[in-house]
Amino acid sequence: MTVGETPPTFRDAIIRSMPNLRAFAISLCGNPHMANDLVQETLLKAWSHREAFVPGTNHKAWLFTILRNTYFSGLRKSRREVADIDGDAAGRLVTLPDQISHLEFKDFQKALAGLSADQREALLLVGAEGFSYEEAAIVAGCAVGTVKSRVNRARQRLATELGLDQEAVAGKVEPIAAFKHPIAASLPSSS
Amino acid sequence: MHTTDKNDEPKSPAQSAASAAAAPSGSSPGLNGGLSGANGDGIAEVELTEGAQRLIGLHLKQLYQQIVAEPVPDEFLRLLDELEQRERET
């Protein structure tokens, strides 16, 4: 093969997406060492299958798809769903904006790692990486509605884990709480 | 405003459709199991407050962007160089 020159744009596109690809890998599997392997494997696969990339489509999404497929096929093999929580990962963040400093960041990472892999993936693709629901659905290989549902449940689960949902719960509980009102409580129960 | 507990909380059709799609009959239990999963238990459908959503979003982006901002490890760039090199040699 003498004409095997890779167009510079392919390599450039990989390099451009690398920081995000790496962030996705680390956040998805929760373990920087495992994430490194994942990124490496992704790069090898992307390189050897580069003619499978359709020009004009989203190159970053293509790389993300390879990475998540690699991760999930590994998961299926190991039957391990909860991400490893690595101390290094938890300790990597030092400064936080004031608005969120009242929440322990470590707690957030732990809660994120405690999500099902499906939910964590959806939340990362949409909420962190900023893919549209449609793009995320293509990456994850599922329906758009499935992505939405996973993102919603991931948020709810995180909120519960972090004690952020009290307001929402209080709002919901109000009608039931009315029964505990002194006047209601003083009424003779009919049954 | 106040819904009685007989009337299920209103769900948008889109939401119900999304929930239904989330639980295909043949989904692999290995990846989806372990969570409350099943719909209609009320708890899973509680709408989050805007504040809670915002906080979660902020945390998530903060965590992610911090990693994005880190320099790409040399090993990845080296790997790409090697791949390119190997190809030129063949």
Side-chain angles (χ1 to χ4, degrees), chain A residues 56-160:
Chain A
T57 60
N58 189 333
H59 191 271
K60 186 170 76 178
W62 185 69
L63 292 174
F64 271 58
T65 307
I66 297 175
L67 189 136
R68 64 80 61 194
N69 286 347
T70 306
Y71 174 68
F72 277 94
S73 67
L75 262 196
R76 241 171 275 128
K77 273 176 212 153
S78 65
R79 291 260 167 238
R80 188 186 43 180
E81 181 167 348
V82 176
D84 295 325
I85 301 163
D86 191 289
D88 292 350
R92 73 165 65 242
L93 288 147
V94 194
T95 51
L96 292 170
D98 287 342
Q99 312 100 289
I100 61 174
S101 59
H102 73 275
L103 265 181
E104 280 292 330
F105 207 82
K106 237 175 160 171
D107 289 346
F108 182 81
Q109 286 196 310
K110 218 166 142 187
L112 186 65
L115 295 175
S116 76
D118 286 343
Q119 290 179 4
R120 187 168 53 252
E121 176 192 32
L123 188 66
L124 286 169
L125 291 174
V126 174
E129 182 54 44
F131 282 126
S132 68
Y133 284 113
E134 289 74 18
E135 287 169 327
I138 292 169
V139 170
C142 64
V144 174
T146 307
V147 174
K148 286 183 182 167
S149 163
R150 284 175 185 168
V151 169
N152 283 339
R153 285 202 231 159
R155 285 195 181 124
Q156 282 157 6
R157 175 95 190 262
L158 287 181
T160 306

Side-chain angles (χ1 to χ4, degrees), chain A residues 1 4 6 11 19-20 22 36 40 50 81 92-93 103 109 116 118 129 145-146 153 155-157 168 174, chain B residues 2 18 21-22 30-32 35 37 44 46-47 56 59 63-64 66 68 70 75-76 81 84 87 90:
Chain A
M1 299 269 161
T6 305
R11 186 182 196 274
N20 293 60
R22 185 170 163 269
N36 259 12
Q40 286 216 3
R50 64 188 179 282
E81 181 167 348
R92 73 165 65 242
L93 288 147
L103 265 181
Q109 286 196 310
S116 76
D118 286 343
E129 182 54 44
T146 307
R153 285 202 231 159
R155 285 195 181 124
Q156 282 157 6
R157 175 95 190 262
E174 209 178 289
Chain B
H2 294 277
L31 289 176
N32 263 329
L35 271 164
V46 171
E47 276 292 316
I56 289 171
H59 264 80
L63 164 73
Y64 201 78
Q66 194 100 6
V68 169
E70 288 174 3
E75 54 181 300
F76 297 145
D81 286 342
E84 216 168 36
E87 198 168 70
T90 42

Side-chain angles (χ1 to χ4, degrees), chain B residues 3-89:
Chain B
T3 52
T4 67
D5 42 355
K6 270 189 181 161
N7 293 343
D8 251 321
E9 74 223 78
K11 282 177 204 156
S12 72
Q15 222 177 340
S16 321
S19 315
S25 45
S27 71
S28 71
L31 289 176
N32 263 329
L35 271 164
S36 55
N39 235 342
D41 54 6
I43 295 163
E45 295 295 333
V46 171
E47 276 292 316
L48 289 182
T49 59
E50 248 177 67
Q53 291 220 31
R54 209 173 51 83
L55 269 179
I56 289 171
L58 276 173
H59 264 80
L60 196 63
K61 291 203 178 92
Q62 176 82 7
L63 164 73
Y64 201 78
Q65 285 308 319
Q66 194 100 6
I67 308 174
V68 169
E70 288 174 3
V72 171
D74 283 344
E75 54 181 300
F76 297 145
L77 300 174
R78 249 182 280 129
L79 178 64
L80 284 178
D81 286 342
E82 268 173 43
L83 288 168
E84 216 168 36
Q85 183 87 27
R86 213 180 298 166
E87 198 168 70
R88 270 198 210 110
E89 284 165 5

Side-chain angles (χ1 to χ4, degrees), chain A residues 26 29-37 86 88-89 92:
Chain A
I26 292 174
C29 77
N31 175 325
H33 305 292
M34 189 179 163
N36 259 12
D37 293 345
D86 191 289
D88 292 350
R92 73 165 65 242

